[in-house]
Each structure stands twice: as structure tokens, then as C-alpha cells.
Amino acid sequence: MPPTFSHPPGATFVDDAARPIHADAEAYYGGGETYTRSRTYSHASAFGHLHGYNPKRTPAFQDDWHLRPRRLSHDEKNVAAPPRRFLIDVEETIRVVLEQEDTDGDFQISVTDAGPKMMALGTATSNGFKTFDIRGTYMLSNLLQELALARDHNRKRIVLDEARLTENPVDRLSRMIKHSFWHSLTRRIDGDGLEIITADPKNRTGRVTPRIYVPYGEPAMADYYRRVAKEKPHMNLDVQVLPPKPDDPEFVKSLNSKPGLLALAMNEVDDGAGGKTLKGIPFIVPGARFNELYNWDSYFIALGLLVDGQVQMAKGMVEHFIFEIKHYGKILNGSRSYYLCRTQPPFLTDMALQIYNQLDRSDVDANRDWLKRAIQAAIKEYHTIWVAEPRMDPKTGLSRYRPDGLGIPPETEATHFTHILEPYAAKHGLSVLEFSEKYNDGVLKEPKLDEYFLHDRAVRESGHDTTYRFEKRCANLGTIDLQCLLYKYEVDIGTAIREVFDDELDLEEDFPLAPFPPSVESYANPYRESSKSRKQRSDEWFERAEFRREMIDKYLWNESKSLYFDYDTVAEKQILYESVTSFWALWAGCASEDQCWKMVSRSMKKFEVLGGLVSGTEESRGKISLDRPNRQWDYPYAWPPHQIMTWVGLERYGYLDEAQRLAYRFLYMMTTAFVDFNGVVPEKFDAVKLSHLVDAEYGNQGIDFKMVPREGFGWMNSAYQVGLTFMSSHMRRALAACTSPEVFFGANVSGVTGDANINNLPLSDPLGLAMEALDLTA
């Protein structure tokens, strides 16, 4: 039985044919209920239904909807008929859809729901008298999404184009990312945006008082936030000013009981009353529990923003990173107080140059000045963080993830370290909670635990939290990914100085320059050259890049395995964990043509699975058990950064076919999840089972929504938009039809026979894979 349609007496409803069918929700549903003469629905025109027309379909015998005749591909179609539109009562139809189709009660219509997957809707051209069946998970979930969007715009009744329910899924997802998801993920730190962004899902202190920390040396900013606190007393905003050295480990630890948001860059604007005020520069957050500005997330998010034409938004995020380097000493892991000691993988130079190349060319001088500020900030970060001790290992010349910090990382779940702390608590005859408090306060000293948390913080700084690749050793590793990123920094800085700044660049901030070439003796010498003592020239930076490339080849390249590996600077040996970050050498351009060929022809098959590239190999990860659970950055999980870096790297070396194939695999996985699971766009995937229903330690982000996805997930959104730029029109059509990679590319796409990861997989069955994943999580 279709949902009933009711309306107030005398109402005249309209079907606005001039409205763009695939416009965003604001354009499609906004503006209230308007009516035209194309079709009327009133008690006057519907003469036989003086009390309001309320159409009902005669039910099938015992409501056996499945006995209804199926429409077949050869059924007659009236090709001259106008596009179909439906007359819908929003609230009633939401109720019926959820009651009938949402059998698991999660407010989503997914392939795993056991409803009939069929609903009749009254057509607008028949006053709702004639009905048409909406069938299948995709159309019904789209219907639920459209109804939720109509409700958002206070619509009680709508005339809905069928084309919005049958929209090509590739076009629909890309459109939602561009026009909806980016907007929902946008934040500003100022009086208008504070109430949204001060919310911190990771705060487990029990104190939810909103707090903002303002850097030393920004009195106007501190005054602004104090004024906001007075003007909005209901917020109970606590404004604190940080000391000149805000990343002192003891001080940062003292903030754990009173966590807060860190202020970011602002612009001075007119206040509308003849004066000036400050306004936060907008930026994009990753989403879900990550409600602040993050470092490497922002790089990949920026790539998607550039594809979608949002150059100014991406530029604003660079402004925040320049601000962070100036005031907090580094680009922070995230813009909360508990991240003050910790940075993340460095991407600033490539991010700035990509944005610079897309800036409006009408003001070349302003663009040049902006890039100059970004490059100056990157040089400071490079010298004071990445090639400064303790992150630099002077003996090898390799840089490491090795942050400062004391105590237990406070942003984790309360029970995250219980299994680590229990033996120490038992040793002292204390509960885990009591031991944690005494250990954090420095009352109890445990050097081995200190070392454990040194490596744990390094894992978090690496962005790969967590993985058996880094277990209990991350702070000692010269990782292949970090060396590639710093090689790219050195090349980018040298190129910018040579091409944009006439081969000389003054540094405006005063900071110590790290010695070069690195050695134990040069780093033992306390003397450091000042950054203002001379101009920066390109040849020095190209020399640094060449030195790093030589060290990468010396310590990280393994000729017999045709792969790069991390190097343990303490144990002085390669760590033979096979990581897909080896392919970052192609993105950075530090691999030779021969090395690239060997990696692509011999090693890529180890990582390529049905849904793209896994983070590491199953062999390297080892066996999983109750005592050794899955880690989310290990096999079989796939993440957007690894996909995008490899696509771009392969294209750089001329392996476009391979890049397209990998992009197709990942986008196929995203598209089928979007089609089968109510528009979901998650943080990560199990790329072997093509499932976002993962059982890693943190679960998955971006999947907890009702009726309509609001934001997706930052870098996954970007992976889709960037991935589409690798697709030919033929590939895009196949993607929209959810054509499996095995079918599209054939059985032996890798060109390697007998590869267990690819060739021995069964043909993908979305429902079967989903049900298997559900069993695993159960």
C-alpha cells in the first residue's frame, strides 16, 4: 500500500518543471511550497473528493507485495511520456519507508535490510491516483534521503522527480560531495563558529566547558574571544592565553585535565558599524569524531577541493598551517591542546604549490607574496622539526617520527591502554585508574612504559595509528614515507626559490638552521647558523634532496625484494614489513626509472586486491588472534592517502594504465557501498571483502548517520573526486553500472598468474560480502 497523501483544503500544488532536476537540496527544496497551474490538487478541482483526495491502492492478497507483476526490460515504454514525477507527503512517506524497509532499525535502507524493497508512489500527473513502483535498495535509499532533505527545508509535501531516485550513482555521489559534504564539514573558529567546533568527541575528562587557547603574542585575538565570551554568556567560554613556548612537554601534560581548542588564523574585516573585527578563516575538518583541523587529512582534502574548484577554501587551510608554525612551532597533528607536542606527515610545500598554480592570475604579486609566506613557514618547520633532534638521526641522516610528550595520550578511549597498564598496576598493587593517575603525575617512574608511550606517540605522529609495522619501535624508524615527503619538501623549496623568487629568498623569522650534511659531529656542535644570516638559494636545497635520495637508496631500498623498507636507526637494520607507502617514492620522484619498474612489475601485486591497495601485506601483518587483534593500518584495510599517492606516482612515471586500474578498483568499492548502504562514505574499507563494516580497533568513522549522509568523510570524499579525474568516459560508465573490476579488466589484470590476492578471488557479490562482514563484526 502506498503512503497516503493529504493536503489542506484549498491548497493548489505545483510541479515546477523549470527547476533543475539534479540541483543541490537548497535549490531543489528551498523557497517553500510554491504552486503552478500545471496540475492542481484542490477540493475544487478534484470534484469527486470534496473532503480531500486520499488515494489508496487495493492491497494484494494478504499484502503479498512480492506477487505483483515484475516490470521487465522488454515491457512497452511510452517514449513520448514526460519524465515521471511523484506527489509525496513527506512525513507520512518517511514513516512508511522506515516501517516497511528499515528492518534493522538504523534509519538507513541498506542491502542487508530484509524489507520487500518495493514501494508504490502516486504520480503527480494523475493527482496521485495512479502509482508507480519504486524498487531496489538504491532507489529506496535515495527516496529516504530526498525526503530527509525535503524535511530539512520544512517541506510538508513535494513533487519529486523520479530522476533524482534513479540518478547515476557516480554523478550523485560526486554532486553530494561537491555541493553538500564539503559545506557540512566546514568550520570557522570565531564567535559564529565556536559553538560547533568546541564540541570535542575525544574529550573524556567529564568536563565539557568550552575552552579556547590563544597563542602568546596575539593580544587582539585574545581580546576578541573575551568579547565573544561576554556577548554569549550561555556558552560559558573559557579563554586562556598560552605561554611563549606552548609545546613544553610538562606544560602540555598540565593541560590534559582542561583540554581545549587552539586558536587559528583570522582575518580583519569590517564590523558593519564603521570599525574592524576579526573573522575566522574557514577550513574543512575530517568529520565524525575528528572535529578540528588535522594536518595530513587537510592535504588530501585540499586535493579534492581543488578538483571541485574551491581554491580559496584550500588556500585558507594553508593560512592556518602558516599560523601554526609561527605560534605553535609546528603544523599540529590536530588543533587541540593535547596535540601541542605532536605534528604529522609533512605536505605543506606540495599543498601550497598546487594551490598557487590554481590561483587567479590577475594579481601575480599577491600570489607570489602568499607563496613566499608558505615556503618561509615550510623552511622553518623543516629546520626546527624534521632535521632537528630528536627527529633527526645524525648518524644516518634519516628523519623520524619522534615527538616530545609525557604520560598517556589523553585523546584515546579510556580503555585503549588497559592491557598495557594492567601489569604495571598489579606490580604496584593499584587499580589501573590509580596507577594511571600516579604515572601521569610523575609519582611512579616506569622507564619501559615511558619508552612504550614514546613509540605510541610516534605512531600517532606518523598518521598510521595503529599498525604492527610500528609496534614498539616507531620512534626509532627512518620510515620510507617520511623520507619521501621530506625529499619532496627539499625539491619543492628549491624549485620555488629558483622559479618564483629569482633564486634567492630572505627568511623573515629568526631560527637556527640545521647543519648540512648531517653527521654525529656536526649535530654535537652547539653552534647553529641563524636563518637571517644569509639568503636561501636553490642549489642548497637540491643538494639536500640529492643527499636524502642517496640515504634512501643506501638504507631503505632493498634490491632483492624490489621494495623500500623502513630503517631502524637503533637496531641499525631494515624492518622487512612490506608497506604500500613504498610507492610514495614514485609520488615524490626519488625512485629511479629502474626502481619504479621493479616495484610496479614485481611488488605491486603484493598489495593489489579487489578494492585497490591494502596498507601492507598479510604476510607482514602476521596472524590475527584474540591476543593479537587487527590494526586499522594493516592488511586488509585500504585508506585514501595510500591510493591517491600511488595513483599520482604511477602517472608521474608513465604507468597511467596501472594508475587507472587501481583508481577504478577503489572507486568501484566506494560506489557499491554508496549504492548498497544508503549513500555511505566511510573513513576506510576492508578492500579484500569490499566492506566498510570493519572490525579494527577504532571501528569506522562516517557511517553513523540517519536517513541521509551529511558529510561523508574528508579524505574519502577527496579520493572519489580525484579518482574520477583518472577515469575515462568508458570507465566512468562502467563504474556507474557497478561493473566489477574482474569483469571490466578481465581475470588476470595484474599480468601475474596465480596471485592469491587478485586472481583467486570469487566474483564480487555485494550482498554476500556484506553479510559475511556482518558475521565478522557480530
Side-chain angles (χ1 to χ4, degrees):
M1 187 180 299
T4 58
F5 181 81
S6 60
H7 55 80
T12 305
F13 289 89
V14 189
D15 177 4
D16 186 358
R19 172 183 56 190
I21 292 176
H22 296 308
D24 63 278
E26 178 64 35
Y28 192 81
Y29 296 112
E33 293 178 349
T34 56
Y35 316 108
T36 66
R37 291 185 294 276
S38 61
R39 173 66 65 178
T40 59
Y41 307 94
S42 68
H43 69 281
S45 63
F47 185 77
H49 307 278
L50 296 176
H51 301 289
Y53 182 61
N54 187 7
K56 287 185 174 62
R57 184 188 184 96
T58 304
F61 177 67
Q62 294 183 343
D63 285 336
D64 284 339
W65 287 53
H66 62 281
L67 298 179
R68 189 173 299 170
R70 294 176 61 86
R71 292 193 309 279
L72 303 176
S73 58
H74 57 266
D75 285 351
E76 274 192 45
K77 297 180 178 67
N78 185 353
V79 294
R84 192 178 287 109
R85 296 181 173 92
F86 302 112
L87 189 61
I88 297 175
D89 183 294
V90 173
E91 292 297 334
E92 174 64 9
T93 308
I94 288 176
R95 183 192 68 79
V96 173
V97 170
L98 291 175
E99 183 180 277
Q100 175 183 301
E101 300 292 344
D102 180 26
T103 57
D104 59 8
D106 64 353
F107 292 88
Q108 298 177 19
I109 309 302
S110 302
V111 70
T112 51
D113 282 308
K117 299 293 172 71
M118 181 170 62
M119 176 167 292
L121 294 178
T123 60
T125 52
S126 69
N127 283 9
F129 183 79
K130 293 183 178 180
T131 62
F132 181 82
D133 290 343
I134 301 301
R135 303 188 184 206
T137 299
Y138 181 60
M139 287 187 72
L140 284 165
S141 68
N142 285 350
L143 172 62
L144 183 63
Q145 293 172 47
E146 294 298 325
L147 294 172
L149 293 170
R151 176 196 272 177
D152 289 346
H153 292 83
N154 300 313
R155 298 296 299 273
K156 304 299 182 186
R157 301 158 195 86
I158 58 171
V159 174
L160 177 65
D161 291 273
E162 182 188 13
R164 283 182 81 87
L165 306 182
T166 60
E167 184 178 3
N168 176 317
V170 174
D171 294 343
R172 182 177 178 88
L173 176 50
S174 183
R175 173 177 63 81
M176 291 174 74
I177 292 169
K178 183 175 182 178
H179 296 294
S180 175
F181 291 177
W182 293 137
H183 176 75
S184 297
L185 291 170
T186 301
R187 302 287 186 272
R188 281 208 332 260
I189 302 182
D190 57 20
D192 295 328
L194 271 174
E195 292 185 65
I196 296 175
I197 197 169
T198 50
D200 183 8
K202 298 179 297 303
N203 178 10
R204 56 182 175 91
T205 64
R207 303 179 180 90
V208 293
T209 301
R211 182 179 292 108
I212 186 163
Y213 288 100
V214 181
Y216 180 86
E218 290 285 346
M221 192 176 288
D223 289 343
Y224 169 82
Y225 285 115
R226 292 187 186 109
R227 188 165 63 251
V228 169
K230 288 182 180 179
E231 293 171 354
K232 298 186 175 183
H234 66 280
M235 282 188 62
N236 196 27
L237 179 66
D238 180 19
V239 182
Q240 299 284 335
V241 176
L242 292 168
K245 184 173 171 49
D247 56 351
D248 175 76
E250 285 286 354
F251 172 73
V252 175
K253 188 183 73 171
S254 74
L255 302 181
N256 287 351
S257 61
K258 45 183 179 179
L261 187 67
L262 297 174
L264 293 176
M266 306 182 82
N267 285 327
E268 190 176 63
V269 298
D270 293 332
D271 63 2
K276 297 288 185 180
T277 189
L278 295 176
K279 185 174 183 179
I281 299 173
F283 57 92
I284 306 292
V285 299
R289 69 192 290 260
F290 305 106
N291 190 37
E292 53 272 315
L293 181 71
Y294 278 80
N295 184 351
W296 75 318
D297 293 75
S298 296
Y299 169 73
F300 295 102
I301 288 169
L303 298 181
L305 291 172
L306 293 177
V307 171
D308 286 337
Q310 296 199 39
V311 181
Q312 290 305 310
M313 180 69 78
K315 182 183 176 186
M317 294 164 81
V318 171
E319 288 287 352
H320 291 308
F321 292 148
I322 295 171
F323 182 91
E324 286 188 344
I325 291 170
K326 177 180 179 181
H327 291 291
Y328 304 128
K330 62 183 72 67
I331 299 179
L332 300 172
N333 182 168
S335 55
R336 302 274 180 190
S337 56
Y338 40 76
Y339 292 134
L340 277 165
C341 286
R342 196 190 311 158
T343 183
Q344 260 194 333
F347 283 93
L348 178 58
T349 58
D350 190 77
M351 187 177 179
L353 286 170
Q354 295 230 31
I355 294 165
Y356 174 76
N357 288 332
Q358 294 198 33
L359 291 176
D360 185 351
R361 301 304 171 95
S362 62
D363 195 341
V364 175
D365 290 339
N367 296 348
R368 189 174 179 272
D369 290 343
W370 177 81
L371 181 64
K372 181 179 179 180
R373 292 173 52 240
I375 296 298
Q376 286 175 329
I379 292 173
K380 178 185 176 183
E381 180 203 23
Y382 175 88
H383 278 285
T384 60
I385 298 296
W386 295 115
V387 294
E389 293 180 296
R391 289 178 178 84
M392 165 60 78
D393 175 51
K395 186 174 182 179
T396 60
L398 300 175
S399 298
R400 304 169 294 187
Y401 295 110
R402 199 175 176 92
D404 292 323
L406 296 171
I408 303 170
E411 80 276 14
T412 58
E413 289 80 359
T415 59
H416 184 77
F417 295 110
T418 298
H419 66 293
I420 299 296
L421 298 173
E422 279 176 342
Y424 293 95
K427 170 184 170 183
H428 292 279
L430 300 172
S431 69
V432 170
L433 181 60
E434 290 171 327
F435 173 79
S436 299
E437 290 177 351
K438 290 182 181 296
Y439 173 72
N440 278 335
D441 292 340
V443 175
L444 296 177
K445 304 292 185 182
E446 289 289 350
K448 289 186 177 179
L449 196 56
D450 293 343
E451 184 177 2
Y452 173 86
F453 283 118
L454 167 65
H455 294 305
D456 181 84
R457 283 189 292 272
V459 171
R460 298 174 192 285
E461 184 167 81
S462 78
H464 292 78
D465 47 335
T466 63
T467 164
Y468 289 114
R469 171 189 173 199
F470 290 157
E471 190 92 338
K472 300 179 182 179
R473 62 190 177 197
C474 185
N476 296 338
L477 299 182
T479 67
I480 178 57
D481 37 304
L482 181 55
Q483 312 318 309
C484 292
L485 294 177
L486 292 176
Y487 174 86
K488 187 69 158 56
Y489 251 48
E490 291 153 352
V491 171
D492 287 348
I493 292 170
T495 302
I497 291 172
R498 184 184 64 192
E499 303 296 332
V500 183
F501 305 119
D502 300 324
D503 210 21
E504 58 179 40
L505 177 67
D506 287 312
L507 297 178
E508 297 173 5
E509 281 198 64
D510 190 6
F511 54 86
L513 298 179
F516 180 78
S519 68
V520 174
E521 294 74 24
S522 64
Y523 272 78
N525 186 344
Y527 170 76
R528 292 291 183 271
E529 187 180 7
S530 168
S531 59
K532 301 184 75 171
S533 64
R534 59 179 171 82
K535 297 179 184 296
Q536 297 287 302
R537 302 190 188 280
S538 62
D539 55 355
E540 175 191 343
W541 288 96
F542 292 136
E543 286 176 20
R544 285 181 173 272
E546 179 59 23
F547 174 82
R548 189 174 298 274
R549 189 190 63 76
E550 290 173 359
M551 295 305 101
I552 290 172
D553 284 348
K554 178 179 179 180
Y555 292 108
L556 279 62
W557 175 251
N558 189 309
E559 180 68 21
S560 65
K561 295 182 180 295
S562 299
L563 209 62
Y564 293 97
F565 293 93
D566 303 330
Y567 184 81
D568 191 320
T569 59
V570 175
E572 298 187 340
K573 65 177 182 179
Q574 283 187 354
I575 301 299
L576 299 182
Y577 182 107
E578 296 169 322
S579 169
V580 75
T581 58
S582 182
F583 289 88
W584 290 24
L586 308 186
W587 174 87
C590 60
S592 67
E593 295 287 343
D594 183 60
Q595 287 170 324
C596 176
W597 178 81
K598 289 175 179 176
M599 291 172 66
V600 173
S601 62
R602 300 175 185 174
S603 299
M604 199 162 72
K605 63 185 179 182
K606 297 179 179 181
F607 304 95
E608 185 175 355
V609 296
L610 188 60
L613 293 168
V614 288
S615 301
T617 62
E618 186 175 16
E619 181 182 5
S620 289
R621 180 204 64 185
K623 292 184 178 180
I624 296 303
S625 65
L626 289 176
D627 296 326
R628 195 174 185 273
N630 268 322
R631 299 284 187 243
Q632 64 176 359
W633 286 92
D634 287 329
Y635 178 93
Y637 304 116
W639 293 78
H642 295 161
Q643 318 303 315
I644 295 173
M645 296 286 277
T646 306
W647 302 341
V648 174
L650 288 168
E651 183 183 40
R652 176 174 188 160
Y653 281 77
Y655 291 89
L656 182 58
D657 287 347
E658 286 79 2
Q660 288 182 313
R661 185 180 75 237
L662 293 174
Y664 186 94
R665 288 184 175 281
F666 196 72
L667 267 59
Y668 168 76
M669 181 167 60
M670 288 188 67
T671 304
T672 53
F674 179 79
V675 167
D676 291 335
F677 289 90
N678 210 111
V680 72
V681 180
E683 175 194 31
K684 58 182 174 286
F685 279 100
D686 177 332
V688 174
K689 296 183 180 299
L690 298 187
S691 177
H692 63 285
L693 304 170
V694 303
D695 60 344
E697 72 265 43
Y698 292 114
N700 215 341
Q701 303 296 316
I703 64 176
D704 186 16
F705 59 87
K706 292 185 176 180
M707 296 195 287
V708 60
R710 302 289 181 178
E711 40 184 53
F713 196 83
W715 58 20
M716 194 69 80
N717 298 342
S718 282
Y720 205 75
Q721 303 299 69
V722 172
L724 287 178
T725 67
F726 283 84
M727 297 292 100
S728 66
S729 57
H730 174 49
M731 297 175 81
R732 185 164 176 144
R733 285 194 299 271
L735 203 59
C738 293
T739 304
S740 171
E742 306 105 320
V743 174
F744 188 76
F745 294 109
N748 290 305
V749 294
S750 68
V752 180
T753 59
D755 180 59
N757 284 347
I758 305 169
N759 304 324
N760 296 338
L761 282 173
L763 291 178
S764 58
D765 167 20
L767 179 58
L769 290 167
M771 296 307 295
E772 185 177 349
L774 283 175
D775 290 341
L776 280 174
T777 55

